[in-house]
Structure formats: C-alpha cells, structure tokens
Amino acid sequence: MDDIDRALVLRLQQDAGQSYAALGTAVGLSAGATHERVRKLRERGVIRRTTIDVDPAAVGSGVLAYVMVDSNAWMGESADDFAAIPEIQEAHIIAGSASVLVKVRTASTEQLQDVLRRLYAIDGVSGTHATVVLDSFFERPLPL
Amino acid sequence: MDDIDRALVLRLQQDAGQSYAALGTAVGLSAGATHERVRKLRERGVIRRTTIDVDPAAVGSGVLAYVMVDSNAWMGESADDFAAIPEIQEAHIIAGSASVLVKVRTASTEQLQDVLRRLYAIDGVSGTHATVVLDSFFERPLPL
DNA sequence: CCATCGAACCGAACAGAATTCGGCAAATCT
DNA sequence: AGATTTGCCGAATTCTGTTCGGTTCGATGG
C-alpha cells in the first residue's frame, strides 16, 4: 500500500470505468503493471468490488432518515433481523444511550413510518428515534 | 425506468465489471441493446458514476462515528465548510434538535477528536454530540 | 563481495469486450 | 392510415483487458 496504490484507489473511486492505460499514465505505470497492481488490491480486499453510484431519488428512495434504535437486550446477534428490512441501507452497533443506528431510505414518509413499525417488531427493540434528513450537503468517497 | 432498467441497475450495483454480453443475457437482451440502456441510465443521471467499494480499515479509516452538530444559526449555506474537512464522508441538514448530521471516518479516536475540534471552528456551530460505531452490521446498496 | 532470488515493471501479442451501425418490428403520434 | 420514433438484433470495427517473456533492481545469504 504505497503512494501509487493510493493514487489508483483514489482514481478508481472517481471513475472505475477508465482504461488501465489511462490509469497507468496518470500514476506513471504501464497498462500491464497497473492491471497487476489493481488485481492485488482486489486480492487483498482493499478493493471489495466495482459498483455504480445510483441517484436514490431516481429509484424511488427520495426520503432519507437516520433512526436511533433503543433496546432492552443485547442486539449483537440481530444483524439478520435488520438486514431483512430492505429499506435499511446501513445498521451499526453504537456506543451511547441507543444501541443501534440505522440509515433508512424510502419513497415517502408513510413508508418510513412502516419501517419504524417493522423495527419495533424486532426482538429486543424497545424504542426508536427517527431523524429525517431535509437536505444532503454531500455524500462522497473515503478520504485517502 | 421499467423492470429491465431496474434489473440492470441492481446487477450493476452488485458487479459493475461484468460484460454487457453477460448483463444482457441476465435480463434477456443483446449486448448492443444492453449497452444502449445503460448509456441512457447514465445520461438521465440514474447512474451517477461507476466506482469501487473500498475497505475503510485498509486505507486508514477504521473508526466510524456519527456526529450531531448543534448550531445557533442557519447552516444551509455551510456545505463548503463541512466539505473542507476530508474525514467527513456525509453531511446532511436534519429536522430535529440538532441542525446537521455528519458521518466521519478516521484512523483513530484521537483523529476523531481533532475532527470535532475542526467542526467547532465552523461558523455557527455551537455544539457536537458524537456517536461512535462499535461494530457495523452491514452497509449495502440501495433497495430496488 | 558476489551470486541468487523474487518482486515489479515494460512492451508486445492475443483474446475478448465495448461501441457503432444498418435493418427491422412494434409502439406512438398526427 | 401514414409517418415517426423507439428499441432491438446481429455483425463489423476498434479499443481494452489480460497474459507473457525479458529486464532491472533490491534484498538475501553464502
């Protein structure tokens, strides 16, 4: 993981569709060497996969909310219960008064309410506190 | 935006590196037609870009935290101030007692503290409340 | 100190994919 | 109904991914 690797990751985050030749020129390598570097970055798990960045509003997920989930039991084994709710994009165990923090995207506030209902149905969940996002400043890739 | 488009977006989220031929076979189209569909999805902004999914821990961002930012002024024009802090991955205006919610990734809790310091330096910021993530259940693509 | 080994690179060759295009059929508009 | 647009197929063309032999360079150890 040297400077060249970091430069490659950075550039691939910005555009994973460019050719290895272009990528190589940008970092000062041949296409072949670039290909080999990227292959190893995948192998090591630094690069998990190549994907697309989708506009949430365009696919019916215009409402974004974060929900603090309170519980009266250990939630460490409940990952599957949260994963079973497709509108949940992220779920994390947190330190603090609440136990779990989830990121939810829905088409409407009515659907958000329905997600809250399904959250309450999870074993151990004793309460929720939803924070609706009014406007997103930005969502961007990791720093390097 | 019909069922085929949705299927394409779904599959591209899972693997943006596959060939148009494979993608086409999966949805019942030729490579050429698939290419054209995807081109239009980009054109319409449904697909914003193709990128890579990077392991945060592998690039020195093993600590994840969400920070509620309180303010004593309208924060609607402060996007650039937040964007100037590279460790901030997301920033949103929210409804509720706090004004802004930011997602922060750092290499250590010391660096997290430093980010909080820089947040306080932003004009109008009157307080912060950080929630450290102990363990992430999952972070996944949008539902369709 | 020098021989050996391995890692990383280059440049070229080959295989495979992206991209373009003519022709056709179905849907849409007039 | 006629005209127009849209979306598709399949093949041709061009560009890219991927592989490979040969070379350099630094580390290893005899």
Side-chain angles (χ1 to χ4, degrees):
Chain A
M1 205 56 197
D2 58 7
D3 288 326
I4 293 182
D5 282 336
R6 267 183 290 277
L8 289 174
V9 169
L10 183 64
R11 285 171 185 278
L12 284 173
Q13 279 183 330
Q14 294 162 352
D15 176 12
Q18 67 192 295
S19 71
Y20 285 111
L23 205 49
T25 301
V27 302
L29 286 180
S30 70
T34 305
H35 184 270
E36 179 66 9
R37 286 253 191 180
V38 174
R39 191 191 62 71
K40 286 181 182 169
L41 285 168
R42 290 184 193 285
E43 191 180 67
R44 278 183 253 155
V46 176
I47 296 176
R48 288 169 169 162
R49 62 174 171 178
T50 93
T51 182
I52 54 173
D53 189 5
V54 176
D55 177 10
V59 295
S61 297
V63 175
L64 170 61
Y66 287 88
V67 182
M68 297 288 193
V69 179
D70 292 312
S71 71
N72 50 30
W74 168 238
M75 294 271 89
E77 307 296 326
S78 307
D80 292 346
D81 294 327
F82 289 95
I85 302 176
E87 290 90 342
I88 297 182
Q89 214 186 337
E90 302 179 13
H92 311 278
I93 299 259
I94 57 178
S97 51
S99 324
V100 178
L101 173 60
V102 303
K103 179 178 184 178
V104 177
R105 284 191 190 271
T106 60
S108 64
T109 51
E110 285 77 17
Q111 278 187 27
L112 173 58
Q113 190 179 18
D114 191 58
V115 170
L116 295 180
R117 190 181 55 69
R118 278 177 273 161
L119 279 172
Y120 271 108
I122 293 177
D123 209 57
V125 170
S126 61
T128 64
H129 184 283
T131 300
V132 177
V133 170
L134 303 177
D135 185 32
S136 286
F137 279 153
F138 58 81
E139 296 181 69
R140 63 186 180 189
L142 288 170
L144 289 178
Chain B
M1 203 57 198
D2 58 9
D3 288 325
I4 293 182
D5 282 336
R6 265 183 291 277
L8 289 174
V9 169
L10 183 64
R11 286 169 184 280
L12 284 173
Q13 278 184 332
Q14 293 161 353
D15 177 12
Q18 66 193 298
S19 72
Y20 285 113
L23 206 48
T25 302
V27 302
L29 287 181
S30 71
T34 304
H35 184 268
E36 179 66 8
R37 286 254 191 179
V38 174
R39 191 191 62 72
K40 285 181 181 169
L41 285 168
R42 289 182 191 286
E43 191 179 69
R44 279 183 251 153
V46 176
I47 296 175
R48 287 169 168 160
R49 62 176 170 175
T50 96
T51 182
I52 55 174
D53 189 4
V54 175
D55 177 11
V59 295
S61 297
V63 175
L64 170 61
Y66 287 89
V67 183
M68 298 287 194
V69 179
D70 294 312
S71 71
N72 50 28
W74 168 237
M75 294 271 87
E77 306 297 324
S78 307
D80 292 347
D81 294 327
F82 288 95
I85 301 175
E87 290 90 343
I88 297 182
Q89 214 187 338
E90 302 179 13
H92 311 278
I93 298 260
I94 57 178
S97 52
S99 326
V100 177
L101 173 60
V102 303
K103 180 178 185 177
V104 178
R105 284 191 190 272
T106 59
S108 63
T109 51
E110 285 75 20
Q111 279 187 29
L112 173 58
Q113 189 179 19
D114 192 57
V115 170
L116 295 180
R117 191 181 55 69
R118 278 177 274 161
L119 279 171
Y120 272 108
I122 294 177
D123 210 57
V125 170
S126 61
T128 65
H129 184 284
T131 300
V132 177
V133 170
L134 302 177
D135 186 33
S136 286
F137 279 153
F138 57 82
E139 297 181 70
R140 63 187 182 190
L142 287 171
L144 289 178

